[in-house]
Amino acid sequence: MLRKLALRLRDEERGIALIIALGVIVVLSIAMASAIDYSSANSRNAGVSDRQNAAYSLAEAGVNNSMSILSLPTNNALDKFALCPDSITLPTLPCMHTDTFQTGTVTWSGTLNQSPATGAAWWVISSTGQVRNPSAGATVTQLTRTITATIQVIPTTSQPLNNPSWNYIFNRAPNWSGVALSGCDMTLQNSVNVTANLYVLGNLCFQNQAKMTSGKLYVKGSVDQQNSQNTIGVSGADIAEAHVGLGCRYLNQSLHNPCKYGAPTTNDKVYATILNSTVPVISPPTVDWDGWYLNASPGPYFGCNAQQPGDPALPVFKFDNPVAAMSDSDADKLAFRNDNQGVANLTPNTAYKCKTVSGEISWDPTTNTLTTSGTIFIDGSATVQNGNTNLYKGSGVIYLYGTFLLKNSKLCAFSSGTSCVTANWNNQQDLLGIVAHGNGSVAADSQVPSGDGIQLVSAYMMGAAYATNNIDIGTTSTFDGPLDAAEVKLGQSSSSTFNGFQYVPVGLPGENTVYAQPQSPSFSGG
């Protein structure tokens, strides 16, 4: 009995163990399946998270692409079409871009916003990154992240001087043969007294009572002193430097190189602390006519902002007409240049104000004050001849595809009564440049003589001037500041005095062309 009972108990134990084993197996199977499902879910979630991060990185790449375009020096960040490709038709704004990368794509666009009242400008960039969704059976085939970036744009109006030619009266002498005494490429005559740095790329001739009593002299060719009253420096008061590449001739003596210090007859009438035939190379500036025609503000393609309460009338002269309004092609726009808008009177009897985010030209006849800022482009000529002592304020350059005439008037940065005072001239704050392409031989530009681009007649100006052709400082006129022309004619009794420049308007020829500076973006969304 006892044995049978023991056997039965052993059989029951085996059954219970089997049941327990089966239960343990089931529990372990469920746990394993849960673990596998949990791991798979985590893996999928990690994959989605990685792809979302990739989509965000792509969205950032779109903003970076917009910044690279806006920051390119040849582009103008204040042009509402700056983010559009060059087109023969006017693009529809905003221009959309789609860039493809190994991880996915990004679609981005931007809109330029401006506030005429405050002068602020900013781009709003919207960028969406897209990547493939790794979730199996997902209804959404793409994962996207969208961010918005705001980019402030600050106009560039001045910069440190880059081209040293703006520290000189610079005579380019384009027709110089390269031979000493082969004609006069620049002639100083009558009672002209040069008191500023002078650089001549050809031969320099002195006639009548003309002289140079201060500054530095650089002559690539030769110097010909044709009258006994001609002098470079004065005995006991040498000029700082005289560098003459091909030698000197005094009266009827033979040409000799190098020039000789001291009084005639065996020497030249040249008194300079440094006197040699080594002429430092200084290149004249190159004018970016195309770039400033397209980007000057105010100018043909950046017109005056809407008038604010209290503003005087907009100027009666036109920057250009017609303007290519149906195309964003630079070539099409440039085709309208030189249709010449006639002569713009910069100092009329009535006030005007033309202001943009990056520039201004305004006139107040009650105070005889011309305000300029940035780079202005007028596709024609301009004149000042109101008979007054006129002040200008601000740092700016006026480009003219025609000519410039200053007659019976003064245009200065600082005055005392009716006199202009160079001693008080802060040229880092107030400096007006005139850049003229025209020639008086063209009928529309004939306010000045044939061959001239800029002329002063019984007038005075403080500033800087460049002419593709000649600058003629005529009868009893004076220009204090650097001059750059094919030939600079210093008239009958003019002198010229100015200190060197450290900062100049950004539109001055030969300076780095920078229209505006986009700032670092600030982000939202994502």
Side-chain angles (χ1 to χ4, degrees), residues 448-466:
V448 302
S450 176
D452 286 354
I454 295 174
Q455 185 188 32
L456 271 64
V457 178
S458 298
Y460 174 87
M461 181 173 175
M462 300 162 61
Y466 177 99

Side-chain angles (χ1 to χ4, degrees), residues 380-458:
S381 300
T383 187
V384 172
Q385 47 180 319
N386 60 354
N388 295 323
T389 299
N390 304 289
L391 283 175
Y392 67 79
K393 294 298 180 182
S395 180
V397 178
I398 299 176
Y399 276 70
L400 303 166
Y401 220 65
T403 60
F404 178 72
L405 173 63
L406 179 61
K407 185 175 182 180
N408 300 324
S409 307
K410 297 177 181 179
L411 188 58
C412 47
F414 190 92
S415 67
S416 176
T418 59
S419 300
C420 297
V421 183
T422 57
N424 299 96
W425 180 16
N426 181 355
N427 55 45
Q428 296 189 42
Q429 174 180 301
D430 300 308
L431 176 57
L432 176 61
I434 302 292
V435 182
H437 184 274
N439 187 323
S441 63
V442 178
D445 302 328
S446 59
Q447 63 171 344
V448 302
S450 176
D452 286 354
I454 295 174
Q455 185 188 32
L456 271 64
V457 178
S458 298

Side-chain angles (χ1 to χ4, degrees), residues 365-385:
T366 60
T367 59
N368 293 317
T369 301
L370 180 70
T371 300
T372 62
S373 176
T375 305
I376 301 107
F377 197 112
I378 299 173
D379 191 18
S381 300
T383 187
V384 172
Q385 47 180 319

Side-chain angles (χ1 to χ4, degrees), residues 96-277:
M96 305 297 297
H97 295 259
T98 298
D99 301 321
T100 301
F101 298 88
Q102 186 175 359
T103 54
T105 61
V106 57
T107 300
W108 58 273
S109 63
T111 302
L112 178 63
N113 299 271
Q114 300 185 61
S115 172
T118 64
W122 66 97
W123 281 90
V124 176
I125 308 296
S126 178
S127 181
T128 299
Q130 297 180 329
V131 298
R132 186 181 63 82
N133 192 333
S135 298
T139 57
V140 180
T141 59
Q142 298 286 325
L143 291 175
T144 64
R145 296 288 295 274
T146 298
I147 59 176
T148 300
T150 301
I151 302 171
Q152 299 291 333
V153 180
I154 298 177
T156 303
T157 57
S158 65
Q159 63 178 307
L161 178 69
N162 293 299
N163 194 313
S165 69
W166 288 111
N167 284 320
Y168 300 86
I169 298 173
F170 202 100
N171 194 98
R172 297 194 301 274
N175 298 317
W176 180 46
S177 65
V179 178
L181 301 179
S182 56
C184 300
D185 299 289
M186 181 177 185
T187 302
L188 302 177
Q189 55 187 338
N190 300 307
S191 55
V192 168
N193 179 22
V194 178
T195 57
N197 296 337
L198 176 61
Y199 198 107
V200 182
L201 283 177
N203 298 318
L204 173 63
C205 296
F206 287 79
Q207 297 176 354
N208 308 114
Q209 294 82 42
K211 56 188 176 181
M212 180 176 183
T213 58
S214 63
K216 300 176 183 178
L217 178 63
Y218 302 84
V219 180
K220 194 75 172 178
S222 57
V223 168
D224 190 7
Q225 295 174 305
Q226 300 176 5
N227 189 291
S228 61
Q229 297 185 59
N230 301 148
T231 184
I232 299 172
V234 179
S235 179
D238 294 4
I239 65 171
E241 300 177 27
H243 307 271
V244 183
L246 299 182
C248 292
R249 180 174 67 182
Y250 179 78
L251 299 181
N252 294 320
Q253 297 181 31
S254 59
L255 175 71
H256 44 273
N257 192 15
C259 300
K260 299 177 182 179
Y261 179 93
T265 58
T266 57
N267 296 332
D268 302 307
K269 214 168 182 181
V270 178
Y271 303 90
T273 303
I274 299 175
L275 176 60
N276 58 41
S277 59

